Amino acid sequence: QVQLVESGGGLVQAGGSLTLSCAASGGSISDYAMAWFRQAPGQEREFVSTIISIGTSDTNIYYAASVKGRFTISRDNAKNILYLQMNSLKPEDTAVYSCAAKTTPYGFQDDSRYNYWGQGTQVTVSS
């Protein structure tokens, strides 16, 4: 069973950057479809990005339209860490960001399909 711990959140001004990390233990992130989700106050959790390469040498990356071109997902398999580089941050990016893992590559935007979750890290973007 994999355990996930996020870090790197904080307060940043609009236009700034942050890099989130998700450290995994108890399993290798290369065996899972890994994703970032976020949840703003009073809103449902929403998909941000995913990186998938289960059972294949190909790596597929997807982004929500709201973050495409500004956020970059990556992973370091040797360190067993998932990253989310966030640039050109906007106040509407303010949310708790969580990483998640699942064993299948399908339905990556559906949070109910994920087996494992971190506790989340707060990102606040001031205007």
Side-chain angles (χ1 to χ4, degrees):
Q1 184 171 349
V2 64
Q3 291 83 43
L4 305 171
V5 179
E6 301 94 336
S7 61
L11 174 64
V12 63
Q13 289 189 331
S17 299
L18 280 176
T19 299
L20 305 183
S21 299
C22 172
S25 61
S28 173
I29 61 172
S30 60
D31 293 333
Y32 296 87
M34 301 297 299
W36 289 96
F37 284 79
R38 66 185 183 186
Q39 187 168 21
Q43 297 187 21
E44 293 187 354
R45 185 159 53 192
E46 66 171 351
F47 167 79
V48 175
S49 182
T50 187
I51 182 167
I52 306 169
S53 61
I54 301 174
T56 174
S57 60
D58 297 329
T59 298
N60 295 302
I61 292 175
Y62 302 96
Y63 297 97
S66 59
V67 307
K68 195 170 185 179
R70 300 187 297 122
F71 290 11
T72 302
I73 191 171
S74 64
R75 68 186 182 199
D76 186 328
N77 289 341
K79 294 182 179 179
N80 221 24
I81 298 176
L82 177 74
Y83 299 99
L84 185 68
Q85 172 68 43
M86 305 185 295
N87 298 326
S88 302
L89 282 161
K90 305 175 181 179
E92 50 264 44
D93 294 319
T94 295
V96 174
Y97 285 71
S98 300
C99 64
K102 64 186 182 75
T103 56
T104 66
Y106 312 110
F108 57 82
Q109 296 187 67
D110 183 353
D111 61 355
S112 69
R113 292 177 176 263
Y114 287 81
N115 310 103
Y116 307 104
W117 290 86
Q119 83 289 349
T121 185
Q122 177 70 47
V123 171
T124 303
V125 184
S126 63
S127 56

